[in-house]
Amino acid sequence: MTIKIVTTGGTIDKIYFDRKNEFQVGAPQIGEVLTEANVTLDYEVIQLIRKDSLDLTDADRRRIYETIRSDPGHHFVVTHGTDTMLVTAKVLKPINDKVIVLTGAMQPAKFRQTDAVFNIAAAITAVQLLRPGVYIAMNGRIFDPATTRKNIEQNRFEPVG
Amino acid sequence: MTIKIVTTGGTIDKIYFDRKNEFQVGAPQIGEVLTEANVTLDYEVIQLIRKDSLDLTDADRRRIYETIRSDPGHHFVVTHGTDTMLVTAKVLKPINDKVIVLTGAMQPAKFRQTDAVFNIAAAITAVQLLRPGVYIAMNGRIFDPATTRKNIEQNRFEPVG
Amino acid sequence: MTIKIVTTGGTIDKIYFDRKNEFQVGAPQIGEVLTEANVTLDYEVIQLIRKDSLDLTDADRRRIYETIRSDPGHHFVVTHGTDTMLVTAKVLKPINDKVIVLTGAMQPAKFRQTDAVFNIAAAITAVQLLRPGVYIAMNGRIFDPATTRKNIEQNRFEPVG
Amino acid sequence: MTIKIVTTGGTIDKIYFDRKNEFQVGAPQIGEVLTEANVTLDYEVIQLIRKDSLDLTDADRRRIYETIRSDPGHHFVVTHGTDTMLVTAKVLKPINDKVIVLTGAMQPAKFRQTDAVFNIAAAITAVQLLRPGVYIAMNGRIFDPATTRKNIEQNRFEPVG
């Protein structure tokens, strides 16, 4: 099994440019995370988009969809900003013969304290064990996007209804 | 679902005592890891043993077995030293109505670079998704203890046969 | 000797608010840095301003000046954004009976990789050893603000002339 | 000014070998610390000894002494275990035409929480500002070895008398 990792940006990859006095979405951090954890799986990182998820357009989501749909792989982890992760999950839903797990972070992977490593590990593990479908791995849990929301106040994902 | 976390020591919990000029197995780190990742699952930490896994005795393994067997819970993560993780997994095998995932680390959780956070996240995720049985979550993969070995040279777990 | 630490914001104290999807200057980090290093000096943290240094006004600089001038202390460390650190140093120059060391960071203290801890330690050390005057501690060196510039391209302080 | 950095081992350089299930004094960490802090000083690392300071012999101390005495440099930072740092400082005392600052750490540089970065920065700063002599930079302070002790209970250096 080869896991395909599609990176789209988001907080997880934010870095600080002192020269510009601003934070930007940088290169994907997931490769370093997997290396540090001595992960021995076969995986391939597809650097697709590098945006805050609030800036993702319909065209961007179409590209994510097409990339996964047309790829011969069966197991996909998508790193994504948390603000519109559920929107992208909905766009991916019609792909029903692959396992797709979206994850991201509330604090950048570059921070000393971050949820990025944990969330990546959760997604990498879940994608190996779940049946085909689209899932979200956040806050230590596996969510069905259809019944999940991001609780902005509490800064976490939670089930609805 | 409440996840019961049984801690038994191992490298994952090693800390440094300058006063004694030595490293020792300290208090379990898993609680801090789960807090930093904003994990919203119900879980309970059972601090059972605090030993290097090379020092675990048959009586210790019996205690781990009895603790899990007699506990009303159904989902268990066991943090454990890597050297004899497979031995303990074998002892736990007769418990066939619970999901038990063992994990540990090659580098202490207190280190700046460590596999501890990743491995804990993998175990926490796997225990929610797997059927009853005993498993090992290491190096980004889920192993069946019956067909796994620790490769001492490469410092990783891998399938045999 | 009591070291007075005047915090004015800057990159060193930047944190990430996922809720607002932005980085902001947060609470001063220097207290945590000194605690982690087991610093046994007497020191007092004066939280004065919490701004990017590009946003500091003449009135802000006047406040920094008055705070130090009127304080009975003789040894001051000022944490400050790097972009206008030299401007503030010039404003403080007339205070010629106190040792004042300005420092900051190119990467926030909250980052896993940062120059914040090093720079704070350099400033804390320098303020104990230097004669009255205004200095900048950055990049492992002690600079005279009159003959120093921030090299934006190289992202470091360096002597001019 | 070129700073010569003589490394002798100690807690500051301790790493963990899972294969041997033990901690050992590893390669000097100071180069990485100086790089991460973007230090622009000229410096040279002399890897001399790699031992716990309790294991240093008279011959080792003689070697440290001879290395510094015969070196054309004038500014030396010595990284050293804390247990016998004062003993080595005494051996170096006869060298009265150079600035020599010893430092070390109570927690290894590889740890997520450590005093190593702070102490290295303090030593690097102090060596540039002090007059010839032998000093210890620990706990945010500069000590005269003749009137200092390591308080084992409190795990820190402090003045005596």
Side-chain angles (χ1 to χ4, degrees):
Chain A
M1 181 196 308
T2 297
I3 297 175
K4 305 293 180 83
I5 297 164
V6 180
T7 69
T8 71
T11 294
I12 198 168
D13 289 335
K14 282 195 180 157
I15 56 174
Y16 186 68
F17 284 97
D18 186 75
R19 265 178 72 181
K20 301 186 176 176
N21 215 25
E22 67 183 24
F23 287 81
Q24 291 183 354
V25 178
Q29 300 294 309
I30 194 167
E32 289 179 36
V33 170
L34 298 177
T35 300
E36 183 173 330
N38 293 316
V39 166
T40 56
L41 293 161
D42 286 325
Y43 63 86
E44 187 188 319
V45 179
I46 302 166
Q47 301 191 24
L48 198 64
I49 302 170
R50 198 183 285 195
K51 285 190 181 178
D52 228 319
S53 80
L54 289 172
D55 299 330
L56 288 174
T57 62
D58 287 352
D60 289 327
R61 292 203 165 81
R62 197 81 210 154
R63 239 181 108 205
I64 299 169
Y65 172 87
E66 283 302 338
T67 298
I68 294 174
R69 198 197 53 77
S70 64
D71 189 286
H74 283 278
H75 301 85
F76 293 83
V77 166
V78 180
T79 61
H80 198 286
T82 57
D83 285 313
T84 67
M85 194 183 280
L86 291 163
V87 180
T88 300
K90 203 163 295 182
V91 170
L92 299 177
K93 193 156 195 309
I95 307 174
N96 53 27
D97 60 340
K98 302 176 189 242
V99 192
I100 304 170
V101 183
L102 293 91
T103 196
M106 300 295 187
Q107 294 289 319
K110 289 272 193 201
F111 273 41
R112 208 173 169 189
Q113 308 240 1
T114 176
D115 51 339
V117 178
F118 194 100
N119 293 347
I120 287 169
I124 289 287
T125 304
V127 83
Q128 299 173 67
L129 302 178
L130 289 162
R131 279 168 302 182
V134 181
Y135 309 87
I136 282 176
M138 288 293 291
N139 300 104
R141 303 167 72 172
I142 305 303
F143 294 99
D144 172 354
T147 55
T148 305
R149 69 170 167 211
K150 181 178 173 187
N151 180 326
I152 306 288
E153 291 304 309
Q154 301 287 332
N155 211 18
R156 67 185 188 205
F157 282 73
E158 59 188 24
V160 287
Chain B
M1 182 196 308
T2 296
I3 297 175
K4 304 292 180 82
I5 298 165
V6 179
T7 68
T8 71
T11 294
I12 199 168
D13 290 335
K14 283 197 180 156
I15 57 174
Y16 185 68
F17 285 95
D18 186 75
R19 265 178 72 182
K20 301 186 176 174
N21 217 24
E22 66 183 24
F23 287 82
Q24 291 183 354
V25 178
Q29 299 295 309
I30 195 167
E32 289 179 34
V33 169
L34 298 177
T35 300
E36 183 172 331
N38 292 318
V39 166
T40 55
L41 293 162
D42 286 324
Y43 63 86
E44 187 187 319
V45 179
I46 302 166
Q47 301 191 24
L48 198 64
I49 302 170
R50 199 183 284 193
K51 285 189 180 178
D52 229 319
S53 80
L54 290 172
D55 298 331
L56 288 174
T57 62
D58 287 353
D60 289 327
R61 293 203 164 81
R62 198 80 210 155
R63 239 180 109 204
I64 300 170
Y65 172 86
E66 283 303 336
T67 298
I68 295 174
R69 197 197 53 77
S70 64
D71 189 287
H74 282 279
H75 301 85
F76 293 82
V77 166
V78 181
T79 61
H80 197 287
T82 58
D83 286 312
T84 67
M85 194 183 278
L86 291 163
V87 180
T88 300
K90 203 163 295 181
V91 170
L92 298 176
K93 193 158 195 307
I95 306 174
N96 54 26
D97 59 341
K98 301 177 189 243
V99 191
I100 303 170
V101 182
L102 293 91
T103 196
M106 300 296 188
Q107 294 289 319
K110 290 273 193 199
F111 273 41
R112 209 173 168 187
Q113 310 241 359
T114 176
D115 51 340
V117 178
F118 194 100
N119 293 348
I120 287 170
I124 289 286
T125 304
V127 82
Q128 298 174 69
L129 302 178
L130 289 162
R131 280 169 302 182
V134 181
Y135 309 87
I136 282 175
M138 289 293 292
N139 299 104
R141 304 168 70 171
I142 304 304
F143 294 100
D144 173 353
T147 55
T148 305
R149 70 171 167 210
K150 181 178 173 185
N151 180 326
I152 306 287
E153 291 304 309
Q154 302 285 330
N155 210 17
R156 67 185 189 202
F157 282 73
E158 59 188 24
V160 288
Chain C
M1 181 196 307
T2 297
I3 297 176
K4 305 292 180 83
I5 298 164
V6 179
T7 68
T8 71
T11 294
I12 199 169
D13 290 335
K14 283 197 179 156
I15 56 174
Y16 185 69
F17 284 96
D18 186 75
R19 265 178 72 180
K20 300 187 176 176
N21 215 23
E22 67 183 25
F23 287 82
Q24 292 184 354
V25 179
Q29 299 296 309
I30 195 168
E32 289 180 35
V33 169
L34 298 177
T35 300
E36 183 172 330
N38 292 317
V39 166
T40 56
L41 293 162
D42 286 323
Y43 62 86
E44 188 186 319
V45 179
I46 302 166
Q47 301 191 24
L48 198 64
I49 301 169
R50 199 183 285 193
K51 286 189 181 179
D52 229 318
S53 80
L54 290 171
D55 298 331
L56 287 174
T57 63
D58 288 352
D60 289 327
R61 291 203 165 81
R62 198 79 209 155
R63 238 181 110 205
I64 300 171
Y65 172 86
E66 282 303 336
T67 299
I68 295 175
R69 198 196 53 75
S70 64
D71 189 287
H74 282 279
H75 301 86
F76 293 83
V77 166
V78 180
T79 61
H80 198 287
T82 57
D83 285 312
T84 68
M85 194 184 279
L86 290 163
V87 180
T88 300
K90 202 163 295 183
V91 170
L92 299 176
K93 193 157 195 310
I95 306 174
N96 53 26
D97 59 341
K98 302 177 188 243
V99 192
I100 303 170
V101 183
L102 293 91
T103 196
M106 301 296 188
Q107 293 289 319
K110 290 272 193 201
F111 272 41
R112 208 172 167 188
Q113 309 240 1
T114 176
D115 51 341
V117 178
F118 194 100
N119 293 347
I120 287 170
I124 289 286
T125 304
V127 83
Q128 299 173 68
L129 302 178
L130 289 162
R131 279 170 301 182
V134 181
Y135 309 87
I136 283 176
M138 288 293 291
N139 300 104
R141 303 169 71 171
I142 305 303
F143 294 100
D144 173 354
T147 56
T148 305
R149 70 172 166 208
K150 181 178 173 185
N151 180 326
I152 305 286
E153 291 304 309
Q154 301 286 331
N155 211 17
R156 66 184 190 205
F157 282 74
E158 59 189 24
V160 288
Chain D
M1 181 197 306
T2 297
I3 297 175
K4 305 292 180 85
I5 298 164
V6 179
T7 68
T8 71
T11 294
I12 198 167
D13 290 335
K14 283 196 180 158
I15 55 174
Y16 185 68
F17 284 97
D18 186 74
R19 265 178 73 181
K20 301 186 177 176
N21 215 25
E22 66 183 24
F23 287 82
Q24 291 184 353
V25 179
Q29 299 295 309
I30 194 167
E32 289 180 36
V33 170
L34 298 177
T35 299
E36 184 173 330
N38 293 316
V39 167
T40 56
L41 294 162
D42 286 324
Y43 62 86
E44 188 187 317
V45 179
I46 303 166
Q47 301 191 25
L48 198 64
I49 302 171
R50 199 183 284 194
K51 286 188 181 179
D52 228 318
S53 79
L54 290 172
D55 299 331
L56 288 173
T57 62
D58 287 352
D60 289 327
R61 292 203 164 82
R62 197 80 210 156
R63 239 180 109 204
I64 300 170
Y65 171 87
E66 283 302 337
T67 298
I68 295 175
R69 198 197 54 78
S70 64
D71 189 287
H74 282 279
H75 301 84
F76 293 83
V77 166
V78 181
T79 61
H80 197 287
T82 57
D83 285 312
T84 68
M85 194 183 278
L86 291 163
V87 181
T88 300
K90 203 163 293 180
V91 170
L92 298 176
K93 193 156 194 309
I95 306 174
N96 52 28
D97 60 340
K98 302 177 188 242
V99 192
I100 304 169
V101 183
L102 293 92
T103 197
M106 301 295 189
Q107 293 290 318
K110 289 272 193 200
F111 273 41
R112 209 172 168 189
Q113 310 240 0
T114 176
D115 51 340
V117 178
F118 194 101
N119 293 347
I120 287 170
I124 289 287
T125 304
V127 83
Q128 299 174 67
L129 302 178
L130 289 162
R131 280 169 302 182
V134 181
Y135 308 87
I136 282 176
M138 289 294 291
N139 300 104
R141 303 168 72 172
I142 305 304
F143 294 100
D144 173 353
T147 55
T148 305
R149 69 172 167 210
K150 181 178 173 187
N151 180 327
I152 305 286
E153 292 303 309
Q154 301 286 330
N155 211 17
R156 67 186 189 204
F157 283 72
E158 59 188 24
V160 287

